[in-house]
Amino acid sequence: MIDNGIGPWIIELTNAQFKTPIRLKITESITFGRIVAGDSKAPDVDLSPYNAESLGVSRLHFTIQPETDRLVITDLVSGNGTFLNGNRLKPEEGYRLSSGDQITAGLLSLDLNFVVTPTYGGLVHKQPSLQLRDLVKAGKGQLILIVAQDPELAGALAGILNESGYTTRVCHEVVGAIRVYNQRRPSAIIIDPILPDMSGLEFCRYIRRDVHVNTTPIVIVKTASRSVESVEAMQAGADVFLDRPVSARELRHVISSLIEQSESGQSGMYTKHLVGTAPLKAVQPETRKNTCVLFVAGHSDAPIVLTLQQPVSFGRAISTGTLKAHVDLTRYDAANWGVSRVHMALRHEDGRFWAEDQDSVNGTYINGDPIQPHEKVALQNADEIRLGQMRMYIYFLEDMPHMQSEAKAKSIPS
């Protein structure tokens, strides 16, 4: 089990007057202040370019140092004081830092944000589809391709995974990443969407268009405040979106889980185009109007074909609900995906298919939007239905006229 909580810290310090953030990798104590000619005691980070002298910044003003699961700031008996979120710090006394804090040295304000942290610390926001196993297996030398412009970030991510038993290859732009990908297929890919030649999401889309090997696990990491959001990453075909700050522990969990599922053929977190729709063609003509096929993500070889003569419930094990017909999703690992015993009902009424949440614990979502309990929501061909974190895609055998044009425009994920 790899879960020692030790890893790098990468932080950003910003100010409305800064053209670019100050990004730092912190592995030991770092001093902040301003360099003065002839002074032998120079700080590690020189704030002089930011008008530090006129703003009352001392030559050695404060330090930031790591302590395994936290960062600590200490005032170095500065002339005009160090403030944390408006509160003056006692000299030579350590105070814990959090992402989003404001540090003020004299009159120079610095907004602090964590980019990479060693542990969860309550600072990592999980993509809803992310499922982590309790135990994290060590890598066996599998190749992980890291695509990130910032050398410090790429090096930190590589270090985390190398220590976890993986082999890493770093590219700083999309063109190089495509070349590496085609030379040797990696076991997983980590992409920072901010890249110099084009968006990292374009590389993600490139992988997903590969008709031969388009199921490679892809993790998008958000490392800048103004970057893509989870919805954009999912639409581009990413399996997992890690919001900032990226936790070393979280990253290990994600990579281990994705690779294990991919190597076992049980991955349910990737997106690809279906090859053929044979299950649809096998249904008798007389029942096509009220028949649908549902593909559970990661199980496109075992679709659920339903002819809805009455409402059908979906959930785990044996239904305890009021509907007579029930689809047991246990074989799709429903419990681990947060599916309730009776989660959703599917109906065919007035020539349309309708989804209805049955007071589920983790909610029912249509194309990412939550639906209210017991509210019937009309479905379109190729809609995504999510029960908790389990994704399914519904296809109709006979489109209604108002649905046909929409269905033709949609790709078919599984």
Side-chain angles (χ1 to χ4, degrees):
M1 180 176 179
I2 303 171
D3 197 9
N4 55 23
I6 299 174
W9 291 89
I10 294 181
I11 66 170
E12 277 186 351
L13 296 168
T14 60
N15 179 291
Q17 306 302 318
F18 293 1
K19 292 182 178 180
T20 58
I22 302 173
R23 181 171 283 191
L24 301 168
K25 181 179 179 180
I26 298 182
T27 57
E28 58 186 6
S29 180
I30 293 181
T31 57
F32 295 76
R34 56 185 177 85
I35 293 178
V36 177
D39 192 339
S40 59
K41 295 182 178 180
D44 299 309
V45 179
D46 180 21
L47 299 175
S48 299
Y50 308 105
N51 203 24
E53 183 176 5
S54 63
L55 292 175
V57 177
S58 299
R59 296 180 181 185
L60 296 177
H61 201 108
F62 65 89
T63 66
I64 294 179
Q65 66 182 56
E67 292 184 358
T68 304
D69 64 341
R70 65 178 184 169
L71 287 182
V72 173
I73 184 172
T74 304
D75 178 76
L76 297 176
V77 197
S78 61
N80 295 302
T82 302
F83 300 80
L84 182 60
N85 300 321
N87 299 311
R88 185 162 186 157
L89 307 184
K90 294 181 180 179
E92 300 183 326
E93 184 172 324
Y95 294 81
R96 181 170 186 160
L97 290 170
S98 298
S99 192
D101 281 348
Q102 184 180 72
I103 300 169
T104 305
L107 297 176
L108 176 61
S109 294
L110 302 167
D111 294 319
L112 169 70
N113 283 288
F114 295 165
V115 179
V116 175
T117 68
T119 60
Y120 295 111
L123 302 174
V124 173
H125 306 280
K126 299 179 182 179
Q127 172 68 7
S129 62
L130 177 62
Q131 295 291 321
L132 297 178
R133 301 183 184 279
D134 292 335
L135 295 178
V136 179
K137 294 184 178 180
K140 300 177 181 179
Q142 297 98 325
L143 177 65
I144 311 297
L145 175 59
I146 299 171
V147 190
Q149 179 181 7
D150 189 314
E152 291 284 5
L153 171 65
L157 298 178
I160 293 167
L161 296 173
N162 289 334
E163 292 176 0
S164 300
Y166 300 100
T167 302
T168 58
R169 179 76 181 271
V170 173
C171 290
H172 299 297
E173 24 67 37
V174 172
V175 173
I178 290 175
R179 186 180 303 113
V180 171
Y181 171 77
N182 287 320
Q183 289 173 347
R184 179 187 173 188
R185 295 290 194 264
S187 295
I189 303 173
I190 300 171
I191 304 173
D192 180 358
I194 305 301
L195 295 168
D197 49 353
M198 65 182 76
S199 169
L201 295 189
E202 286 304 315
F203 180 49
C204 186
R205 294 185 183 100
Y206 172 86
I207 302 301
R208 292 303 180 229
R209 295 188 188 108
D210 188 330
V211 297
H212 300 295
V213 189
N214 59 14
T215 61
T216 303
I218 297 177
V219 178
I220 300 291
V221 295
K222 181 179 180 181
T223 60
S225 57
R226 294 181 180 179
S227 183
V228 302
E229 300 299 334
S230 59
V231 173
E232 297 175 87
M234 295 297 105
Q235 290 174 344
D239 296 304
V240 178
F241 175 87
L242 294 181
D243 208 339
R244 61 186 283 169
V246 177
S247 158
R249 181 181 294 172
E250 184 86 11
L251 182 65
R252 287 192 290 263
H253 279 205
V254 167
I255 292 297
S256 174
S257 295
L258 287 177
I259 290 181
E260 182 180 1
Q261 292 178 46
S262 178
E263 292 180 344
S264 65
Q266 298 177 351
S267 177
M269 302 179 74
Y270 57 75
T271 301
K272 67 176 182 179
H273 290 286
L274 294 176
V275 180
T277 54
L280 309 184
K281 300 175 183 178
V283 178
Q284 297 299 316
E286 60 267 23
T287 63
R288 294 178 73 85
K289 289 186 177 180
N290 60 340
T291 298
C292 63
V293 178
L294 295 105
F295 291 88
V296 179
H299 301 273
S300 59
D301 58 337
I304 302 169
V305 181
L306 295 175
T307 299
L308 296 179
Q309 298 176 342
Q310 60 183 348
V312 175
S313 62
F314 289 71
R316 295 186 287 113
I318 299 174
S319 171
T320 57
T322 58
L323 301 183
K324 295 181 180 180
H326 181 73
V327 175
D328 182 5
L329 298 171
T330 301
R331 63 175 173 150
Y332 301 106
D333 203 23
N336 287 333
W337 291 107
V339 178
S340 298
R341 290 184 178 274
V342 181
H343 199 112
M344 176 196 74
L346 191 63
R347 306 173 183 272
H348 184 264
E349 298 174 355
D350 303 321
R352 306 191 70 174
F353 291 87
W354 306 79
E356 180 182 341
D357 182 81
Q358 301 293 297
D359 287 315
S360 65
V361 175
N362 295 306
T364 301
Y365 301 79
I366 307 300
N367 299 321
D369 296 321
I371 64 176
Q372 296 299 316
H374 301 293
E375 176 188 1
K376 291 196 303 181
V377 176
L379 297 170
Q380 305 292 334
N381 207 351
D383 272 351
E384 179 195 81
I385 304 172
R386 179 155 59 84
L387 310 183
Q389 310 305 337
M390 175 180 284
R391 294 184 292 123
M392 303 189 297
Y393 300 91
I394 187 168
Y395 299 95
F396 310 147
L397 296 199
E398 185 169 296
D399 292 343
M400 299 300 291
H402 66 282
M403 299 179 185
Q404 290 175 350
S405 60
E406 297 178 20
K408 290 179 181 178
K410 292 188 178 183
S411 60
I412 306 177
S414 78

mmCIF file of all heavy atoms in Angstrom, residues 265-299:
data_model
loop_
_atom_site.group_PDB
_atom_site.id
_atom_site.type_symbol
_atom_site.label_atom_id
_atom_site.label_comp_id
_atom_site.label_asym_id
_atom_site.label_seq_id
_atom_site.Cartn_x
_atom_site.Cartn_y
_atom_site.Cartn_z
ATOM 1 N N GLY A 265 -9.478 -5.077 -17.911
ATOM 2 C CA GLY A 265 -10.587 -5.017 -18.858
ATOM 3 C C GLY A 265 -11.892 -4.593 -18.230
ATOM 4 O O GLY A 265 -12.962 -4.742 -18.829
ATOM 5 N N GLN A 266 -11.834 -4.028 -17.011
ATOM 6 C CA GLN A 266 -13.054 -3.649 -16.297
ATOM 7 C C GLN A 266 -13.247 -2.140 -16.235
ATOM 8 O O GLN A 266 -14.101 -1.651 -15.519
ATOM 9 C CB GLN A 266 -13.011 -4.195 -14.862
ATOM 10 C CG GLN A 266 -12.959 -5.705 -14.801
ATOM 11 C CD GLN A 266 -12.853 -6.200 -13.370
ATOM 12 O OE1 GLN A 266 -12.655 -5.421 -12.440
ATOM 13 N NE2 GLN A 266 -12.986 -7.497 -13.177
ATOM 14 N N SER A 267 -12.472 -1.391 -16.998
ATOM 15 C CA SER A 267 -12.566 0.065 -16.919
ATOM 16 C C SER A 267 -13.940 0.539 -17.344
ATOM 17 O O SER A 267 -14.460 0.148 -18.380
ATOM 18 C CB SER A 267 -11.503 0.719 -17.814
ATOM 19 O OG SER A 267 -11.653 2.117 -17.792
ATOM 20 N N GLY A 268 -14.522 1.385 -16.510
ATOM 21 C CA GLY A 268 -15.822 1.959 -16.838
ATOM 22 C C GLY A 268 -15.767 3.459 -16.908
ATOM 23 O O GLY A 268 -16.789 4.127 -16.812
ATOM 24 N N MET A 269 -14.586 4.020 -17.089
ATOM 25 C CA MET A 269 -14.448 5.457 -16.989
ATOM 26 C C MET A 269 -13.969 6.098 -18.285
ATOM 27 O O MET A 269 -13.638 7.259 -18.328
ATOM 28 C CB MET A 269 -13.470 5.804 -15.871
ATOM 29 C CG MET A 269 -13.904 5.258 -14.534
ATOM 30 S SD MET A 269 -12.754 5.645 -13.212
ATOM 31 C CE MET A 269 -13.113 7.375 -13.004
ATOM 32 N N TYR A 270 -13.893 5.292 -19.366
ATOM 33 C CA TYR A 270 -13.424 5.877 -20.603
ATOM 34 C C TYR A 270 -14.569 6.094 -21.578
ATOM 35 O O TYR A 270 -15.678 5.611 -21.393
ATOM 36 C CB TYR A 270 -12.344 5.020 -21.249
ATOM 37 C CG TYR A 270 -12.748 3.592 -21.535
ATOM 38 C CD1 TYR A 270 -13.591 3.290 -22.590
ATOM 39 C CD2 TYR A 270 -12.264 2.551 -20.748
ATOM 40 C CE1 TYR A 270 -13.949 1.993 -22.856
ATOM 41 C CE2 TYR A 270 -12.632 1.249 -21.005
ATOM 42 C CZ TYR A 270 -13.470 0.965 -22.073
ATOM 43 O OH TYR A 270 -13.821 -0.322 -22.321
ATOM 44 N N THR A 271 -14.306 6.844 -22.623
ATOM 45 C CA THR A 271 -15.302 7.134 -23.640
ATOM 46 C C THR A 271 -14.765 6.698 -24.988
ATOM 47 O O THR A 271 -13.624 6.944 -25.315
ATOM 48 C CB THR A 271 -15.594 8.646 -23.682
ATOM 49 O OG1 THR A 271 -16.066 9.048 -22.408
ATOM 50 C CG2 THR A 271 -16.655 8.957 -24.720
ATOM 51 N N LYS A 272 -15.577 6.039 -25.767
ATOM 52 C CA LYS A 272 -15.165 5.640 -27.105
ATOM 53 C C LYS A 272 -16.401 5.514 -27.986
ATOM 54 O O LYS A 272 -17.530 5.559 -27.518
ATOM 55 C CB LYS A 272 -14.412 4.316 -27.077
ATOM 56 C CG LYS A 272 -15.273 3.119 -26.664
ATOM 57 C CD LYS A 272 -14.491 1.832 -26.759
ATOM 58 C CE LYS A 272 -15.365 0.636 -26.390
ATOM 59 N NZ LYS A 272 -14.640 -0.636 -26.487
ATOM 60 N N HIS A 273 -16.199 5.317 -29.280
ATOM 61 C CA HIS A 273 -17.304 5.109 -30.193
ATOM 62 C C HIS A 273 -17.661 3.632 -30.221
ATOM 63 O O HIS A 273 -16.785 2.774 -30.269
ATOM 64 C CB HIS A 273 -16.929 5.574 -31.606
ATOM 65 C CG HIS A 273 -16.811 7.058 -31.706
ATOM 66 N ND1 HIS A 273 -17.903 7.886 -31.705
ATOM 67 C CD2 HIS A 273 -15.727 7.857 -31.787
ATOM 68 C CE1 HIS A 273 -17.496 9.145 -31.800
ATOM 69 N NE2 HIS A 273 -16.184 9.153 -31.843
ATOM 70 N N LEU A 274 -18.945 3.333 -30.215
ATOM 71 C CA LEU A 274 -19.384 1.943 -30.318
ATOM 72 C C LEU A 274 -19.143 1.431 -31.730
ATOM 73 O O LEU A 274 -19.224 2.178 -32.697
ATOM 74 C CB LEU A 274 -20.877 1.835 -30.003
ATOM 75 C CG LEU A 274 -21.283 2.158 -28.567
ATOM 76 C CD1 LEU A 274 -22.787 2.091 -28.440
ATOM 77 C CD2 LEU A 274 -20.642 1.183 -27.615
ATOM 78 N N VAL A 275 -18.869 0.154 -31.830
ATOM 79 C CA VAL A 275 -18.702 -0.478 -33.135
ATOM 80 C C VAL A 275 -19.953 -1.310 -33.410
ATOM 81 O O VAL A 275 -20.120 -2.398 -32.882
ATOM 82 C CB VAL A 275 -17.447 -1.373 -33.162
ATOM 83 C CG1 VAL A 275 -17.291 -2.021 -34.530
ATOM 84 C CG2 VAL A 275 -16.222 -0.552 -32.806
ATOM 85 N N GLY A 276 -20.845 -0.771 -34.217
ATOM 86 C CA GLY A 276 -22.056 -1.512 -34.567
ATOM 87 C C GLY A 276 -23.136 -1.428 -33.507
ATOM 88 O O GLY A 276 -22.891 -1.051 -32.367
ATOM 89 N N THR A 277 -24.340 -1.781 -33.878
ATOM 90 C CA THR A 277 -25.470 -1.780 -32.947
ATOM 91 C C THR A 277 -26.278 -3.056 -33.146
ATOM 92 O O THR A 277 -27.495 -3.032 -33.282
ATOM 93 C CB THR A 277 -26.374 -0.554 -33.178
ATOM 94 O OG1 THR A 277 -26.754 -0.534 -34.567
ATOM 95 C CG2 THR A 277 -25.657 0.725 -32.835
ATOM 96 N N ALA A 278 -25.577 -4.199 -33.169
ATOM 97 C CA ALA A 278 -26.246 -5.474 -33.416
ATOM 98 C C ALA A 278 -27.396 -5.752 -32.447
ATOM 99 O O ALA A 278 -28.440 -6.265 -32.868
ATOM 100 C CB ALA A 278 -25.222 -6.606 -33.360
ATOM 101 N N PRO A 279 -27.267 -5.438 -31.140
ATOM 102 C CA PRO A 279 -28.390 -5.714 -30.242
ATOM 103 C C PRO A 279 -29.668 -4.993 -30.658
ATOM 104 O O PRO A 279 -30.768 -5.482 -30.407
ATOM 105 C CB PRO A 279 -27.900 -5.214 -28.881
ATOM 106 C CG PRO A 279 -26.413 -5.264 -28.993
ATOM 107 C CD PRO A 279 -26.114 -4.909 -30.417
ATOM 108 N N LEU A 280 -29.536 -3.827 -31.284
ATOM 109 C CA LEU A 280 -30.720 -3.082 -31.702
ATOM 110 C C LEU A 280 -31.442 -3.794 -32.850
ATOM 111 O O LEU A 280 -32.658 -3.824 -32.918
ATOM 112 C CB LEU A 280 -30.324 -1.672 -32.153
ATOM 113 C CG LEU A 280 -29.459 -0.846 -31.213
ATOM 114 C CD1 LEU A 280 -29.264 0.542 -31.798
ATOM 115 C CD2 LEU A 280 -30.052 -0.741 -29.836
ATOM 116 N N LYS A 281 -30.649 -4.351 -33.752
ATOM 117 C CA LYS A 281 -31.228 -4.952 -34.951
ATOM 118 C C LYS A 281 -31.924 -6.281 -34.666
ATOM 119 O O LYS A 281 -32.709 -6.763 -35.474
ATOM 120 C CB LYS A 281 -30.127 -5.160 -35.992
ATOM 121 C CG LYS A 281 -29.450 -3.862 -36.413
ATOM 122 C CD LYS A 281 -28.286 -4.126 -37.342
ATOM 123 C CE LYS A 281 -27.580 -2.825 -37.699
ATOM 124 N NZ LYS A 281 -26.395 -3.056 -38.564
ATOM 125 N N ALA A 282 -31.622 -6.903 -33.541
ATOM 126 C CA ALA A 282 -32.173 -8.220 -33.238
ATOM 127 C C ALA A 282 -33.578 -8.179 -32.657
ATOM 128 O O ALA A 282 -34.223 -9.211 -32.519
ATOM 129 C CB ALA A 282 -31.245 -8.946 -32.254
ATOM 130 N N VAL A 283 -34.070 -6.989 -32.317
ATOM 131 C CA VAL A 283 -35.383 -6.866 -31.696
ATOM 132 C C VAL A 283 -36.482 -6.930 -32.756
ATOM 133 O O VAL A 283 -36.349 -6.372 -33.841
ATOM 134 C CB VAL A 283 -35.475 -5.543 -30.906
ATOM 135 C CG1 VAL A 283 -36.850 -5.379 -30.286
ATOM 136 C CG2 VAL A 283 -34.391 -5.512 -29.837
ATOM 137 N N GLN A 284 -37.555 -7.614 -32.443
ATOM 138 C CA GLN A 284 -38.670 -7.785 -33.384
ATOM 139 C C GLN A 284 -39.312 -6.454 -33.742
ATOM 140 O O GLN A 284 -39.440 -5.571 -32.894
ATOM 141 C CB GLN A 284 -39.727 -8.720 -32.784
ATOM 142 C CG GLN A 284 -39.226 -10.133 -32.535
ATOM 143 C CD GLN A 284 -38.781 -10.795 -33.831
ATOM 144 O OE1 GLN A 284 -39.458 -10.713 -34.863
ATOM 145 N NE2 GLN A 284 -37.639 -11.472 -33.787
ATOM 146 N N PRO A 285 -39.749 -6.287 -34.996
ATOM 147 C CA PRO A 285 -40.320 -5.007 -35.451
ATOM 148 C C PRO A 285 -41.503 -4.525 -34.635
ATOM 149 O O PRO A 285 -41.653 -3.330 -34.396
ATOM 150 C CB PRO A 285 -40.719 -5.309 -36.896
ATOM 151 C CG PRO A 285 -39.831 -6.439 -37.298
ATOM 152 C CD PRO A 285 -39.646 -7.263 -36.073
ATOM 153 N N GLU A 286 -42.353 -5.467 -34.181
ATOM 154 C CA GLU A 286 -43.567 -5.042 -33.484
ATOM 155 C C GLU A 286 -43.311 -4.404 -32.123
ATOM 156 O O GLU A 286 -44.202 -3.765 -31.558
ATOM 157 C CB GLU A 286 -44.527 -6.230 -33.338
ATOM 158 C CG GLU A 286 -43.962 -7.400 -32.551
ATOM 159 C CD GLU A 286 -43.300 -8.448 -33.456
ATOM 160 O OE1 GLU A 286 -42.908 -8.066 -34.591
ATOM 161 O OE2 GLU A 286 -43.177 -9.600 -33.042
ATOM 162 N N THR A 287 -42.131 -4.601 -31.572
ATOM 163 C CA THR A 287 -41.836 -4.039 -30.250
ATOM 164 C C THR A 287 -40.823 -2.903 -30.302
ATOM 165 O O THR A 287 -40.391 -2.413 -29.261
ATOM 166 C CB THR A 287 -41.284 -5.129 -29.313
ATOM 167 O OG1 THR A 287 -40.047 -5.625 -29.845
ATOM 168 C CG2 THR A 287 -42.263 -6.265 -29.157
ATOM 169 N N ARG A 288 -40.462 -2.458 -31.487
ATOM 170 C CA ARG A 288 -39.381 -1.487 -31.593
ATOM 171 C C ARG A 288 -39.756 -0.115 -31.031
ATOM 172 O O ARG A 288 -38.898 0.626 -30.554
ATOM 173 C CB ARG A 288 -38.924 -1.344 -33.052
ATOM 174 C CG ARG A 288 -38.277 -2.601 -33.603
ATOM 175 C CD ARG A 288 -37.882 -2.436 -35.051
ATOM 176 N NE ARG A 288 -36.720 -1.569 -35.198
ATOM 177 C CZ ARG A 288 -35.460 -1.964 -35.105
ATOM 178 N NH1 ARG A 288 -35.193 -3.232 -34.851
ATOM 179 N NH2 ARG A 288 -34.470 -1.133 -35.257
ATOM 180 N N LYS A 289 -41.037 0.225 -31.091
ATOM 181 C CA LYS A 289 -41.427 1.568 -30.647
ATOM 182 C C LYS A 289 -41.217 1.783 -29.157
ATOM 183 O O LYS A 289 -40.932 2.900 -28.731
ATOM 184 C CB LYS A 289 -42.892 1.831 -31.007
ATOM 185 C CG LYS A 289 -43.126 2.007 -32.499
ATOM 186 C CD LYS A 289 -44.552 2.409 -32.773
ATOM 187 C CE LYS A 289 -44.772 2.651 -34.269
ATOM 188 N NZ LYS A 289 -46.160 3.055 -34.568
ATOM 189 N N ASN A 290 -41.382 0.747 -28.361
ATOM 190 C CA ASN A 290 -41.232 0.914 -26.913
ATOM 191 C C ASN A 290 -40.032 0.132 -26.372
ATOM 192 O O ASN A 290 -39.984 -0.224 -25.207
ATOM 193 C CB ASN A 290 -42.502 0.500 -26.174
ATOM 194 C CG ASN A 290 -42.858 -0.957 -26.410
ATOM 195 O OD1 ASN A 290 -42.408 -1.560 -27.377
ATOM 196 N ND2 ASN A 290 -43.679 -1.519 -25.539
ATOM 197 N N THR A 291 -39.065 -0.134 -27.252
ATOM 198 C CA THR A 291 -37.854 -0.840 -26.844
ATOM 199 C C THR A 291 -36.657 0.109 -26.884
ATOM 200 O O THR A 291 -36.525 0.923 -27.786
ATOM 201 C CB THR A 291 -37.577 -2.046 -27.760
ATOM 202 O OG1 THR A 291 -38.669 -2.967 -27.648
ATOM 203 C CG2 THR A 291 -36.286 -2.754 -27.364
ATOM 204 N N CYS A 292 -35.815 -0.024 -25.893
ATOM 205 C CA CYS A 292 -34.588 0.765 -25.837
ATOM 206 C C CYS A 292 -33.428 -0.142 -25.442
ATOM 207 O O CYS A 292 -33.631 -1.238 -24.913
ATOM 208 C CB CYS A 292 -34.716 1.924 -24.846
ATOM 209 S SG CYS A 292 -34.960 1.402 -23.146
ATOM 210 N N VAL A 293 -32.235 0.313 -25.725
ATOM 211 C CA VAL A 293 -31.024 -0.404 -25.337
ATOM 212 C C VAL A 293 -30.174 0.542 -24.499
ATOM 213 O O VAL A 293 -29.962 1.699 -24.881
ATOM 214 C CB VAL A 293 -30.224 -0.877 -26.567
ATOM 215 C CG1 VAL A 293 -28.941 -1.567 -26.131
ATOM 216 C CG2 VAL A 293 -31.068 -1.816 -27.410
ATOM 217 N N LEU A 294 -29.706 0.052 -23.350
ATOM 218 C CA LEU A 294 -28.848 0.855 -22.475
ATOM 219 C C LEU A 294 -27.483 0.205 -22.399
ATOM 220 O O LEU A 294 -27.379 -1.009 -22.145
ATOM 221 C CB LEU A 294 -29.442 0.978 -21.071
ATOM 222 C CG LEU A 294 -30.762 1.739 -20.983
ATOM 223 C CD1 LEU A 294 -31.904 0.767 -20.783
ATOM 224 C CD2 LEU A 294 -30.732 2.761 -19.857
ATOM 225 N N PHE A 295 -26.455 0.993 -22.637
ATOM 226 C CA PHE A 295 -25.084 0.537 -22.503
ATOM 227 C C PHE A 295 -24.515 1.145 -21.225
ATOM 228 O O PHE A 295 -24.502 2.363 -21.060
ATOM 229 C CB PHE A 295 -24.239 0.965 -23.700
ATOM 230 C CG PHE A 295 -24.598 0.275 -24.981
ATOM 231 C CD1 PHE A 295 -25.574 0.791 -25.817
ATOM 232 C CD2 PHE A 295 -23.955 -0.889 -25.354
ATOM 233 C CE1 PHE A 295 -25.910 0.162 -26.992
ATOM 234 C CE2 PHE A 295 -24.269 -1.523 -26.538
ATOM 235 C CZ PHE A 295 -25.249 -1.006 -27.357
ATOM 236 N N VAL A 296 -24.051 0.290 -20.329
ATOM 237 C CA VAL A 296 -23.381 0.762 -19.125
ATOM 238 C C VAL A 296 -21.929 1.029 -19.476
ATOM 239 O O VAL A 296 -21.271 0.209 -20.122
ATOM 240 C CB VAL A 296 -23.474 -0.286 -17.998
ATOM 241 C CG1 VAL A 296 -22.746 0.207 -16.744
ATOM 242 C CG2 VAL A 296 -24.933 -0.590 -17.677
ATOM 243 N N ALA A 297 -21.432 2.180 -19.095
ATOM 244 C CA ALA A 297 -20.052 2.566 -19.427
ATOM 245 C C ALA A 297 -19.077 1.490 -18.980
ATOM 246 O O ALA A 297 -19.104 1.035 -17.835
ATOM 247 C CB ALA A 297 -19.696 3.898 -18.770
ATOM 248 N N GLY A 298 -18.239 1.064 -19.907
ATOM 249 C CA GLY A 298 -17.272 0.020 -19.615
ATOM 250 C C GLY A 298 -17.789 -1.372 -19.857
ATOM 251 O O GLY A 298 -17.058 -2.343 -19.709
ATOM 252 N N HIS A 299 -19.067 -1.505 -20.234
ATOM 253 C CA HIS A 299 -19.663 -2.827 -20.448
ATOM 254 C C HIS A 299 -20.462 -2.833 -21.746
ATOM 255 O O HIS A 299 -21.597 -3.319 -21.791
ATOM 256 C CB HIS A 299 -20.575 -3.199 -19.274
ATOM 257 C CG HIS A 299 -19.878 -3.232 -17.949
ATOM 258 N ND1 HIS A 299 -19.226 -4.343 -17.468
ATOM 259 C CD2 HIS A 299 -19.721 -2.268 -17.008
ATOM 260 C CE1 HIS A 299 -18.701 -4.071 -16.280
ATOM 261 N NE2 HIS A 299 -18.994 -2.813 -15.983
#
